[in-house]
Coordinates of all heavy atoms in Angstrom, one line a residue:
M1328 N 10.4 -10.6 -0.8 CA 11.7 -11.2 -0.6 C 11.7 -11.8 0.8 O 11.2 -11.2 1.8 CB 12.8 -10.2 -0.7 CG 14.1 -10.9 -1.1 SD 15.6 -9.9 -1.0 CE 15.0 -8.2 -0.6
S1329 N 12.2 -13.0 0.9 CA 12.1 -13.8 2.2 C 13.2 -13.3 3.1 O 14.3 -12.9 2.7 CB 12.3 -15.3 1.9 OG 12.2 -16.0 3.1
V1330 N 12.9 -13.3 4.4 CA 13.9 -12.9 5.4 C 13.6 -13.8 6.7 O 12.5 -14.2 6.9 CB 13.7 -11.4 5.8 CG1 12.3 -11.1 6.2 CG2 14.8 -11.0 6.8
A1331 N 14.7 -14.1 7.4 CA 14.6 -15.1 8.5 C 13.8 -14.4 9.7 O 14.0 -13.2 10.0 CB 15.9 -15.5 9.0
E1332 N 13.1 -15.2 10.4 CA 12.4 -14.8 11.6 C 13.5 -14.7 12.7 O 14.4 -15.6 12.8 CB 11.3 -15.8 12.0 CG 10.5 -15.3 13.2 CD 9.3 -16.2 13.5 OE1 9.2 -17.3 12.9 OE2 8.5 -15.8 14.4
L1333 N 13.4 -13.7 13.6 CA 14.4 -13.6 14.7 C 14.3 -14.9 15.6 O 13.2 -15.4 15.8 CB 14.1 -12.4 15.5 CG 14.3 -11.0 14.9 CD1 14.1 -9.9 15.9 CD2 15.6 -10.9 14.2
T1334 N 15.4 -15.3 16.2 CA 15.4 -16.3 17.2 C 15.0 -15.8 18.5 O 14.9 -14.5 18.7 CB 16.8 -16.9 17.3 OG1 17.7 -15.9 17.8 CG2 17.4 -17.4 16.0
Q1335 N 14.7 -16.6 19.5 CA 14.3 -16.2 20.8 C 15.4 -15.3 21.4 O 15.0 -14.2 21.9 CB 14.2 -17.5 21.7 CG 13.9 -17.1 23.2 CD 12.6 -16.4 23.4 OE1 11.6 -16.6 22.6 NE2 12.5 -15.7 24.4
S1336 N 16.7 -15.6 21.2 CA 17.7 -14.7 21.9 C 17.8 -13.4 21.1 O 18.1 -12.4 21.7 CB 19.0 -15.5 22.0 OG 19.7 -15.4 20.8
E1337 N 17.6 -13.4 19.8 CA 17.6 -12.2 19.0 C 16.4 -11.3 19.4 O 16.5 -10.0 19.5 CB 17.5 -12.4 17.5 CG 18.8 -13.0 17.0 CD 18.7 -13.5 15.6 OE1 17.6 -13.9 15.1 OE2 19.8 -13.5 14.9
R1338 N 15.3 -11.9 19.8 CA 14.1 -11.1 20.2 C 14.4 -10.5 21.6 O 14.0 -9.3 21.8 CB 12.9 -12.0 20.4 CG 12.1 -12.2 19.1 CD 10.7 -12.8 19.3 NE 10.7 -14.1 19.9 CZ 10.7 -15.2 19.1 NH1 10.6 -15.1 17.8 NH2 10.7 -16.4 19.7
E1339 N 15.1 -11.2 22.4 CA 15.5 -10.7 23.7 C 16.5 -9.5 23.6 O 16.3 -8.5 24.2 CB 16.1 -11.7 24.6 CG 15.0 -12.6 25.2 CD 15.6 -14.0 25.7 OE1 16.8 -14.1 26.0 OE2 14.7 -14.9 25.9
D1340 N 17.4 -9.6 22.6 CA 18.3 -8.5 22.4 C 17.6 -7.3 21.9 O 17.9 -6.2 22.2 CB 19.4 -9.0 21.3 CG 20.3 -10.0 21.8 OD1 20.4 -10.3 23.0 OD2 21.0 -10.6 21.0
L1341 N 16.6 -7.5 21.0 CA 15.8 -6.4 20.5 C 15.2 -5.6 21.6 O 15.2 -4.4 21.6 CB 14.7 -7.0 19.6 CG 13.9 -6.2 18.6 CD1 12.8 -7.0 17.9 CD2 13.2 -5.0 19.3
L1342 N 14.5 -6.3 22.6 CA 13.9 -5.7 23.7 C 14.8 -4.9 24.6 O 14.5 -3.9 25.2 CB 13.0 -6.7 24.5 CG 11.9 -7.3 23.7 CD1 11.1 -8.3 24.6 CD2 10.9 -6.3 23.1
T1343 N 16.0 -5.5 24.7 CA 17.1 -4.8 25.6 C 17.5 -3.6 24.9 O 17.7 -2.5 25.5 CB 18.3 -5.8 25.8 OG1 17.8 -7.0 26.3 CG2 19.3 -5.2 26.7
A1344 N 17.7 -3.6 23.6 CA 18.2 -2.5 22.8 C 17.1 -1.4 22.6 O 17.4 -0.2 22.5 CB 18.7 -2.9 21.4
H1345 N 15.9 -1.9 22.7 CA 14.7 -0.9 22.4 C 13.7 -1.1 23.5 O 12.6 -1.7 23.2 CB 14.2 -1.1 21.0 CG 15.2 -1.0 19.9 ND1 15.7 0.3 19.6 CD2 15.9 -1.9 19.2 CE1 16.6 0.1 18.6 NE2 16.8 -1.2 18.4
P1346 N 14.0 -0.7 24.7 CA 13.1 -1.0 25.9 C 11.7 -0.3 25.8 O 10.8 -0.7 26.6 CB 13.9 -0.4 27.1 CG 14.9 0.5 26.5 CD 15.2 0.0 25.1
Q1347 N 11.5 0.6 24.9 CA 10.2 1.2 24.7 C 9.2 0.3 24.0 O 8.0 0.6 23.9 CB 10.3 2.5 23.9 CG 11.4 3.4 24.4 CD 11.0 4.4 25.4 OE1 10.1 4.1 26.2 NE2 11.6 5.6 25.4
W1348 N 9.8 -0.8 23.4 CA 8.9 -1.7 22.7 C 8.7 -2.9 23.5 O 9.5 -3.4 24.3 CB 9.7 -2.1 21.4 CG 9.9 -0.9 20.4 CD1 10.8 0.0 20.5 CD2 9.0 -0.5 19.3 NE1 10.7 1.0 19.5 CE2 9.6 0.6 18.8 CE3 7.9 -1.1 18.7 CZ2 9.0 1.3 17.7 CZ3 7.3 -0.5 17.6 CH2 7.9 0.7 17.1
S1349 N 7.5 -3.6 23.2 CA 7.2 -4.8 23.9 C 6.7 -5.8 22.9 O 6.2 -5.4 21.8 CB 6.2 -4.6 25.0 OG 5.1 -3.9 24.5
L1350 N 6.8 -7.1 23.2 CA 6.4 -8.1 22.3 C 4.8 -8.1 22.3 O 4.2 -7.9 23.3 CB 6.9 -9.5 22.8 CG 8.4 -9.8 22.6 CD1 8.7 -11.1 23.2 CD2 8.8 -9.7 21.2
A1351 N 4.3 -8.5 21.1 CA 2.9 -8.6 21.0 C 2.6 -9.8 20.1 O 3.6 -10.4 19.5 CB 2.3 -7.3 20.3
R1352 N 1.4 -10.2 20.0 CA 1.0 -11.3 19.1 C 1.9 -12.6 19.3 O 2.5 -13.1 18.3 CB 1.0 -10.9 17.7 CG 0.0 -9.8 17.4 CD -0.1 -9.5 16.0 NE -0.7 -8.2 15.8 CZ -0.7 -7.5 14.6 NH1 -0.1 -8.0 13.6 NH2 -1.3 -6.4 14.5
D1353 N 2.0 -13.0 20.5 CA 2.8 -14.3 20.8 C 4.2 -14.2 20.3 O 4.8 -15.2 19.8 CB 2.1 -15.4 20.1 CG 1.3 -16.3 21.0 OD1 1.5 -16.1 22.2 OD2 0.4 -17.0 20.5
G1354 N 4.8 -13.0 20.4 CA 6.2 -12.8 20.0 C 6.4 -12.6 18.5 O 7.5 -12.6 18.0
K1355 N 5.3 -12.5 17.8 CA 5.4 -12.4 16.3 C 5.5 -10.9 15.9 O 5.7 -10.6 14.7 CB 4.1 -12.9 15.6 CG 4.0 -14.4 15.8 CD 5.0 -15.2 15.0 CE 4.8 -16.7 15.1 NZ 5.9 -17.5 14.6
A1356 N 5.3 -10.0 16.9 CA 5.3 -8.6 16.6 C 5.8 -7.8 17.8 O 5.9 -8.3 18.9 CB 3.9 -8.1 16.2
I1357 N 6.2 -6.5 17.6 CA 6.5 -5.6 18.7 C 5.6 -4.4 18.5 O 5.1 -4.0 17.5 CB 8.0 -5.2 18.7 CG1 8.4 -4.7 17.3 CG2 8.9 -6.2 19.3 CD1 9.8 -4.1 17.3
E1358 N 5.3 -3.8 19.7 CA 4.5 -2.6 19.7 C 5.1 -1.5 20.6 O 5.8 -1.8 21.6 CB 3.1 -2.9 20.0 CG 2.9 -3.4 21.5 CD 1.5 -3.7 21.8 OE1 0.6 -3.9 20.9 OE2 1.2 -3.9 23.0
R1359 N 4.8 -0.3 20.2 CA 5.1 0.9 21.0 C 4.0 1.9 21.0 O 3.4 2.2 20.0 CB 6.4 1.5 20.5 CG 6.8 2.8 21.3 CD 8.2 3.4 21.0 NE 8.3 4.5 21.9 CZ 9.4 5.3 21.9 NH1 10.4 5.1 21.2 NH2 9.4 6.4 22.7
K1360 N 3.7 2.4 22.2 CA 2.7 3.5 22.3 C 3.3 4.8 22.6 O 4.2 4.9 23.4 CB 1.7 3.1 23.5 CG 1.0 1.8 23.2 CD 0.0 1.4 24.3 CE -0.6 0.1 23.8 NZ -1.4 -0.7 24.6
L1361 N 2.9 5.8 21.8 CA 3.5 7.1 21.9 C 2.4 8.1 22.1 O 1.3 8.0 21.7 CB 4.2 7.5 20.6 CG 5.4 6.6 20.2 CD1 5.2 6.1 18.8 CD2 6.7 7.3 20.3
Q1362 N 2.8 9.2 22.9 CA 1.9 10.3 23.1 C 2.6 11.6 22.7 O 3.7 11.8 23.2 CB 1.4 10.3 24.5 CG 0.2 11.3 24.7 CD -0.5 11.0 26.1 OE1 -0.6 9.9 26.5 NE2 -0.9 12.1 26.7
F1363 N 1.9 12.5 22.0 CA 2.4 13.7 21.6 C 1.7 14.9 22.2 O 0.7 14.7 22.9 CB 2.4 13.8 20.0 CG 3.3 12.7 19.4 CD1 2.7 11.5 19.1 CD2 4.6 13.0 19.1 CE1 3.5 10.5 18.6 CE2 5.4 12.0 18.5 CZ 4.8 10.7 18.2
E1364 N 2.1 16.1 21.9 CA 1.5 17.3 22.5 C 0.0 17.4 21.9 O -0.9 17.8 22.7 CB 2.2 18.6 22.0 CG 3.5 18.8 22.9 CD 3.1 19.1 24.3 OE1 2.3 20.1 24.5 OE2 3.6 18.4 25.2
D1365 N -0.1 17.1 20.7 CA -1.4 17.3 20.0 C -1.5 16.5 18.7 O -0.5 15.8 18.4 CB -1.7 18.8 19.7 CG -0.5 19.5 19.0 OD1 0.2 18.7 18.2 OD2 -0.3 20.7 19.1
F1366 N -2.5 16.6 18.0 CA -2.7 15.9 16.7 C -1.7 16.3 15.7 O -1.2 15.4 15.0 CB -4.1 16.1 16.2 CG -4.4 15.4 14.9 CD1 -4.5 14.0 14.9 CD2 -4.4 16.1 13.7 CE1 -4.7 13.3 13.7 CE2 -4.6 15.4 12.5 CZ -4.8 14.0 12.5
N1367 N -1.4 17.5 15.7 CA -0.4 18.0 14.7 C 1.0 17.3 14.9 O 1.6 16.9 13.9 CB -0.2 19.5 14.8 CG 0.4 20.2 13.6 OD1 1.6 19.9 13.4 ND2 -0.4 21.0 12.9
E1368 N 1.4 17.2 16.1 CA 2.7 16.5 16.4 C 2.6 15.1 16.1 O 3.5 14.5 15.5 CB 3.1 16.7 17.9 CG 3.4 18.1 18.3 CD 4.6 18.7 17.6 OE1 5.6 17.9 17.5 OE2 4.7 19.9 17.3
A1369 N 1.5 14.5 16.4 CA 1.3 13.0 16.2 C 1.3 12.7 14.7 O 2.0 11.8 14.2 CB 0.0 12.5 16.8
F1370 N 0.5 13.5 14.0 CA 0.4 13.2 12.5 C 1.7 13.6 11.8 O 2.1 12.9 10.8 CB -0.8 14.0 11.9 CG -1.3 13.3 10.7 CD1 -2.1 12.2 10.8 CD2 -0.9 13.7 9.4 CE1 -2.6 11.5 9.7 CE2 -1.4 13.1 8.3 CZ -2.2 12.0 8.4
G1371 N 2.4 14.6 12.3 CA 3.7 15.0 11.7 C 4.7 13.8 11.8 O 5.4 13.4 10.9
F1372 N 4.7 13.2 13.0 CA 5.5 12.0 13.3 C 5.1 10.9 12.3 O 5.9 10.2 11.7 CB 5.3 11.6 14.8 CG 5.8 10.2 15.0 CD1 7.1 9.9 15.1 CD2 4.8 9.2 15.2 CE1 7.5 8.6 15.4 CE2 5.2 7.9 15.5 CZ 6.6 7.6 15.6
M1373 N 3.8 10.6 12.2 CA 3.3 9.5 11.3 C 3.7 9.8 9.9 O 4.1 8.8 9.2 CB 1.8 9.4 11.4 CG 1.3 8.9 12.8 SD -0.5 8.9 13.0 CE -0.9 7.5 12.0
T1374 N 3.7 11.0 9.5 CA 4.1 11.3 8.1 C 5.6 11.0 7.9 O 6.0 10.4 6.9 CB 3.9 12.8 7.8 OG1 2.5 13.1 8.1 CG2 4.2 13.2 6.4
R1375 N 6.4 11.4 8.9 CA 7.9 11.1 8.8 C 8.1 9.5 8.7 O 8.9 9.0 8.0 CB 8.7 11.7 9.9 CG 8.7 13.2 9.8 CD 9.7 13.9 10.7 NE 9.4 13.7 12.2 CZ 8.6 14.4 12.8 NH1 7.9 15.3 12.2 NH2 8.3 14.2 14.1
V1376 N 7.4 8.8 9.6 CA 7.5 7.4 9.6 C 7.0 6.8 8.3 O 7.6 5.9 7.7 CB 6.8 6.7 10.8 CG1 6.7 5.2 10.7 CG2 7.4 7.2 12.1
A1377 N 5.9 7.3 7.8 CA 5.3 6.8 6.5 C 6.3 6.9 5.4 O 6.5 6.0 4.6 CB 4.0 7.5 6.2
L1378 N 7.0 8.0 5.3 CA 7.9 8.2 4.2 C 9.1 7.3 4.3 O 9.6 6.7 3.3 CB 8.4 9.7 4.1 CG 7.3 10.7 3.8 CD1 7.9 12.1 4.0 CD2 6.7 10.5 2.5
L1379 N 9.6 7.1 5.5 CA 10.7 6.2 5.8 C 10.3 4.8 5.5 O 11.0 4.0 4.8 CB 11.1 6.3 7.2 CG 12.3 5.5 7.6 CD1 13.6 6.2 7.3 CD2 12.3 5.2 9.1
A1380 N 9.1 4.4 6.0 CA 8.6 3.0 5.8 C 8.4 2.7 4.3 O 8.8 1.6 3.9 CB 7.2 2.9 6.5
D1381 N 7.9 3.6 3.6 CA 7.7 3.4 2.2 C 9.0 3.2 1.4 O 9.1 2.3 0.5 CB 6.8 4.5 1.5 CG 6.1 3.9 0.3 OD1 5.5 2.9 0.4 OD2 6.1 4.6 -0.7
K1382 N 10.0 4.0 1.8 CA 11.3 3.9 1.2 C 11.9 2.5 1.4 O 12.5 1.9 0.5 CB 12.2 4.9 1.8 CG 13.4 5.3 1.0 CD 14.0 6.6 1.3 CE 15.2 6.5 2.2 NZ 15.8 7.8 2.6
H1383 N 11.6 1.9 2.6 CA 12.1 0.6 2.9 C 11.2 -0.5 2.6 O 11.4 -1.7 2.9 CB 12.5 0.5 4.4 CG 13.7 1.4 4.7 ND1 15.0 1.0 4.5 CD2 13.8 2.7 5.2 CE1 15.8 2.0 4.9 NE2 15.1 3.1 5.2
D1384 N 10.0 -0.2 2.0 CA 9.0 -1.2 1.7 C 8.6 -2.0 3.0 O 8.5 -3.2 2.9 CB 9.4 -2.1 0.6 CG 8.2 -2.8 -0.1 OD1 7.1 -2.4 0.1 OD2 8.5 -3.9 -0.7
H1385 N 8.6 -1.3 4.1 CA 8.3 -2.0 5.4 C 7.3 -1.1 6.2 O 7.7 -0.2 6.8 CB 9.5 -2.3 6.1 CG 9.3 -3.3 7.2 ND1 9.0 -4.6 7.0 CD2 9.3 -3.1 8.6 CE1 8.9 -5.2 8.1 NE2 9.1 -4.4 9.1
H1386 N 6.0 -1.5 6.1 CA 5.0 -0.6 6.6 C 4.4 -1.0 7.9 O 4.1 -2.1 8.2 CB 3.8 -0.5 5.5 CG 4.3 -0.2 4.1 ND1 4.8 -1.1 3.3 CD2 4.5 1.0 3.5 CE1 5.2 -0.5 2.1 NE2 5.0 0.8 2.3
P1387 N 4.3 0.0 8.8 CA 3.8 -0.3 10.1 C 2.2 -0.5 10.1 O 1.5 0.0 9.2 CB 4.1 1.0 10.9 CG 4.2 2.1 9.9 CD 4.6 1.5 8.6
E1388 N 1.8 -1.2 11.1 CA 0.3 -1.2 11.4 C 0.2 -0.2 12.6 O 1.0 -0.3 13.5 CB -0.1 -2.6 11.9 CG 0.1 -3.7 10.8 CD -0.2 -5.1 11.3 OE1 -1.0 -5.2 12.2 OE2 0.5 -6.0 10.9
W1389 N -0.7 0.7 12.4 CA -0.8 1.7 13.5 C -2.2 2.2 13.7 O -3.1 2.0 12.9 CB 0.1 2.8 13.3 CG 0.2 3.4 11.9 CD1 -0.8 3.4 10.9 CD2 1.2 4.3 11.4 NE1 -0.3 4.1 9.9 CE2 0.9 4.7 10.1 CE3 2.4 4.7 12.0 CZ2 1.7 5.5 9.3 CZ3 3.2 5.5 11.2 CH2 2.9 5.9 9.9
F1390 N -2.4 2.8 14.9 CA -3.7 3.3 15.3 C -3.4 4.7 15.9 O -2.5 4.9 16.7 CB -4.2 2.3 16.4 CG -5.5 2.7 17.0 CD1 -6.7 2.5 16.3 CD2 -5.6 3.4 18.2 CE1 -7.9 2.9 16.8 CE2 -6.8 3.7 18.7 CZ -8.0 3.5 18.0
N1391 N -4.2 5.6 15.5 CA -4.1 7.0 16.0 C -5.4 7.6 16.4 O -6.4 7.5 15.7 CB -3.5 7.9 14.8 CG -3.7 9.4 15.1 OD1 -4.4 10.0 14.3 ND2 -3.1 9.9 16.1
V1392 N -5.4 8.1 17.6 CA -6.5 9.0 18.1 C -5.9 10.2 18.6 O -5.1 10.2 19.6 CB -7.4 8.3 19.2 CG1 -8.4 9.3 19.7 CG2 -8.0 7.0 18.6
Y1393 N -6.2 11.4 18.0 CA -5.7 12.7 18.5 C -4.2 12.7 18.7 O -3.5 12.6 17.7 CB -6.5 13.2 19.7 CG -6.1 14.5 20.2 CD1 -6.0 15.6 19.3 CD2 -5.7 14.8 21.5 CE1 -5.6 16.9 19.7 CE2 -5.2 16.0 21.9 CZ -5.2 17.1 21.0 OH -4.8 18.3 21.4
N1394 N -3.7 12.7 19.9 CA -2.3 12.8 20.1 C -1.6 11.5 20.4 O -0.5 11.4 20.8 CB -2.0 13.8 21.3 CG -2.5 13.3 22.6 OD1 -3.4 12.5 22.6 ND2 -2.0 13.8 23.7
K1395 N -2.4 10.4 20.3 CA -1.8 9.0 20.6 C -1.6 8.2 19.3 O -2.4 8.2 18.5 CB -2.8 8.3 21.5 CG -2.9 8.9 22.9 CD -3.6 7.9 23.9 CE -3.6 8.4 25.3 NZ -4.8 9.2 25.6
V1396 N -0.4 7.6 19.3 CA -0.1 6.7 18.2 C 0.3 5.4 18.7 O 1.2 5.3 19.6 CB 1.0 7.3 17.3 CG1 1.2 6.4 16.1 CG2 0.6 8.7 16.8
E1397 N -0.3 4.3 18.3 CA 0.2 2.9 18.7 C 0.7 2.3 17.4 O 0.0 2.2 16.4 CB -1.0 2.1 19.3 CG -1.5 2.7 20.5 CD -2.7 2.0 21.1 OE1 -3.0 0.9 20.6 OE2 -3.4 2.5 22.0
I1398 N 1.9 1.8 17.5 CA 2.6 1.2 16.3 C 2.8 -0.3 16.6 O 3.4 -0.7 17.6 CB 3.9 1.9 16.0 CG1 3.7 3.4 15.9 CG2 4.5 1.3 14.7 CD1 5.0 4.1 15.6
T1399 N 2.5 -1.1 15.6 CA 2.9 -2.5 15.6 C 3.7 -2.9 14.4 O 3.4 -2.5 13.3 CB 1.6 -3.4 15.6 OG1 0.8 -3.1 16.7 CG2 2.0 -4.9 15.7
L1400 N 4.9 -3.6 14.7 CA 5.8 -3.9 13.6 C 5.9 -5.5 13.5 O 6.0 -6.1 14.6 CB 7.2 -3.4 13.9 CG 7.3 -1.8 14.0 CD1 8.7 -1.5 14.3 CD2 6.9 -1.2 12.6
T1401 N 5.8 -6.0 12.3 CA 6.0 -7.4 12.1 C 6.4 -7.5 10.6 O 6.2 -6.6 9.9 CB 4.7 -8.2 12.4 OG1 5.0 -9.6 12.3 CG2 3.6 -7.9 11.4
T1402 N 6.9 -8.7 10.3 CA 7.3 -8.9 8.9 C 6.6 -10.1 8.3 O 6.7 -11.2 8.7 CB 8.9 -9.2 8.8 OG1 9.6 -8.1 9.4 CG2 9.3 -9.4 7.4
H1403 N 5.7 -9.8 7.4 CA 4.8 -10.8 6.8 C 5.7 -11.9 6.2 O 5.4 -13.1 6.3 CB 3.9 -10.2 5.7 CG 3.3 -8.9 6.1 ND1 3.1 -7.8 5.2 CD2 2.8 -8.5 7.3 CE1 2.6 -6.8 5.9 NE2 2.4 -7.2 7.1
D1404 N 6.7 -11.5 5.5 CA 7.6 -12.4 4.7 C 8.3 -13.4 5.7 O 8.7 -14.4 5.2 CB 8.6 -11.6 3.9 CG 7.9 -10.7 2.9 OD1 6.8 -10.9 2.5 OD2 8.6 -9.7 2.5
A1405 N 8.5 -13.0 6.9 CA 9.2 -13.8 7.9 C 8.2 -14.6 8.7 O 8.6 -15.5 9.5 CB 10.1 -13.0 8.8
G1406 N 6.9 -14.2 8.7 CA 5.9 -14.9 9.5 C 6.2 -14.5 11.0 O 5.8 -15.2 11.9
G1407 N 6.7 -13.3 11.2 CA 7.0 -12.9 12.6 C 8.0 -11.7 12.5 O 8.0 -11.0 11.6
L1408 N 8.8 -11.6 13.6 CA 9.8 -10.5 13.7 C 11.0 -10.8 12.8 O 11.5 -11.9 12.8 CB 10.2 -10.3 15.1 CG 9.1 -9.6 16.0 CD1 9.4 -9.8 17.5 CD2 8.9 -8.2 15.6
S1409 N 11.6 -9.8 12.2 CA 12.8 -9.9 11.5 C 13.7 -8.7 11.7 O 13.3 -7.7 12.4 CB 12.6 -10.0 10.0 OG 12.3 -8.8 9.4
V1410 N 14.9 -8.7 11.1 CA 15.8 -7.5 11.2 C 15.1 -6.3 10.7 O 15.5 -5.2 11.1 CB 17.1 -7.8 10.5 CG1 18.0 -8.8 11.2 CG2 16.9 -8.2 9.1
R1411 N 14.2 -6.4 9.8 CA 13.5 -5.2 9.2 C 12.7 -4.5 10.3 O 12.6 -3.3 10.3 CB 12.5 -5.6 8.1 CG 13.3 -6.2 6.9 CD 12.3 -6.6 5.8 NE 13.0 -7.5 4.9 CZ 12.4 -8.2 4.0 NH1 11.0 -8.2 3.9 NH2 13.0 -9.0 3.2
D1412 N 12.2 -5.3 11.3 CA 11.4 -4.6 12.4 C 12.4 -4.0 13.3 O 12.1 -2.9 13.9 CB 10.6 -5.7 13.1 CG 9.6 -6.3 12.1 OD1 8.8 -5.6 11.5 OD2 9.7 -7.6 11.9
V1413 N 13.5 -4.6 13.5 CA 14.5 -4.0 14.4 C 15.0 -2.6 13.8 O 15.1 -1.6 14.5 CB 15.8 -4.9 14.6 CG1 16.8 -4.3 15.5 CG2 15.4 -6.3 15.1
A1414 N 15.2 -2.6 12.5 CA 15.7 -1.4 11.8 C 14.6 -0.3 11.9 O 14.9 0.9 12.2 CB 16.0 -1.7 10.3
M1415 N 13.3 -0.7 11.7 CA 12.3 0.3 11.8 C 12.1 0.8 13.2 O 11.9 2.0 13.4 CB 11.0 -0.4 11.3 CG 9.8 0.6 11.1 SD 10.1 1.9 10.0 CE 10.3 1.0 8.5
A1416 N 12.2 -0.1 14.2 CA 12.1 0.4 15.6 C 13.2 1.3 15.9 O 13.0 2.4 16.6 CB 12.1 -0.9 16.5
A1417 N 14.4 1.0 15.5 CA 15.5 1.9 15.7 C 15.3 3.3 15.1 O 15.6 4.3 15.7 CB 16.8 1.3 15.2
A1418 N 14.8 3.3 13.9 CA 14.6 4.5 13.2 C 13.5 5.4 13.9 O 13.6 6.6 14.0 CB 14.2 4.3 11.7
I1419 N 12.5 4.7 14.3 CA 11.4 5.4 15.1 C 11.9 6.0 16.4 O 11.6 7.1 16.7 CB 10.2 4.4 15.3 CG1 9.5 4.2 13.9 CG2 9.2 5.0 16.3 CD1 8.5 3.1 13.9
D1420 N 12.7 5.2 17.1 CA 13.2 5.6 18.4 C 14.1 6.8 18.1 O 14.1 7.8 18.9 CB 14.1 4.5 19.0 CG 13.2 3.4 19.6 OD1 12.0 3.6 19.6 OD2 13.8 2.4 20.1
A1421 N 14.9 6.8 17.0 CA 15.8 8.0 16.7 C 15.0 9.2 16.4 O 15.4 10.3 16.7 CB 16.7 7.6 15.5
M1422 N 13.7 9.1 15.9 CA 12.9 10.2 15.6 C 12.3 10.9 16.9 O 12.2 12.1 16.9 CB 11.7 9.8 14.8 CG 12.0 9.8 13.3 SD 10.5 9.3 12.4 CE 11.2 8.6 11.0
V1423 N 11.9 10.1 17.8 CA 11.2 10.6 19.0 C 12.1 10.7 20.2 O 11.7 11.3 21.2 CB 10.0 9.8 19.3 CG1 8.9 10.0 18.2 CG2 10.3 8.3 19.5
G1424 N 13.2 10.0 20.2 CA 14.1 9.9 21.4 C 13.6 9.0 22.5 O 12.5 8.4 22.3
Ligands
HBI2210 N1 5.5 -4.3 5.7 N2 5.6 -4.6 7.9 C1 5.7 -5.1 6.7 N3 6.1 -6.4 6.5 C2 6.3 -6.9 5.2 O1 6.6 -8.1 5.1 C3 6.0 -6.1 4.2 C4 5.6 -4.7 4.4 N4 5.4 -3.9 3.4 C5 5.4 -4.3 2.0 C6 5.9 -5.7 1.9 N5 6.1 -6.5 2.9 C7 6.0 -6.2 0.5 O2 7.3 -6.5 0.2 C8 5.1 -7.5 0.2 O3 4.0 -7.5 1.0 C9 4.8 -7.6 -1.3

């Protein structure tokens, strides 16, 4: 399903509302790097995100080594950032604080 790409000012609002995230890929994506106590905490977090993501049919690109998780969000259908990425970033922030 098609969804509009965020405008420049909407992207700025996103970063203000979610300062832990930064723009990546020429403004087509956002990323956040997280660090946990250990692998168990990191993978537990990934599991919670995975279930949420699948429910919303909006899947993160991510990279995990031991206690580190790097997440990149973008919307293929929009060819860049969309409200779906904002919703996912907000949900992830709510999980980890
Ligand atoms: N995940 N991040 C992201 N962006 C998408 O556009 C997307 C997705 N997961 C599934 C999905 N789109 C499907 O709707 C289509 O690829 C079929």
Side-chain angles (χ1 to χ4, degrees):
M1328 208 192 352
S1329 185
V1330 57
E1332 186 175 7
L1333 295 186
T1334 64
Q1335 175 65 25
S1336 81
E1337 286 170 335
R1338 277 198 293 270
E1339 283 161 20
D1340 291 347
L1341 194 181
L1342 296 180
T1343 304
H1345 303 284
Q1347 313 268 30
W1348 295 81
S1349 52
L1350 289 178
R1352 297 184 197 167
D1353 260 343
K1355 298 287 186 192
I1357 47 172
E1358 65 183 15
R1359 178 171 178 180
K1360 297 181 178 168
L1361 298 126
Q1362 190 165 326
F1363 297 87
E1364 281 295 305
D1365 53 26
F1366 179 73
N1367 197 291
E1368 293 292 322
F1370 205 80
F1372 162 77
M1373 291 174 77
T1374 304
R1375 290 193 296 280
V1376 173
L1378 295 175
L1379 182 83
D1381 206 46
K1382 201 158 103 185
H1383 293 276
D1384 197 21
H1385 195 66
H1386 306 87
E1388 296 172 35
W1389 49 17
F1390 179 79
N1391 161 243
V1392 175
Y1393 183 51
N1394 64 339
K1395 295 194 173 86
V1396 181
E1397 298 176 12
I1398 306 181
T1399 302
L1400 300 174
T1401 187
T1402 303
H1403 317 142
D1404 301 337
L1408 288 165
S1409 79
V1410 290
R1411 292 180 199 164
D1412 302 301
V1413 182
M1415 187 60 64
I1419 288 169
D1420 285 356
M1422 272 182 208
V1423 292

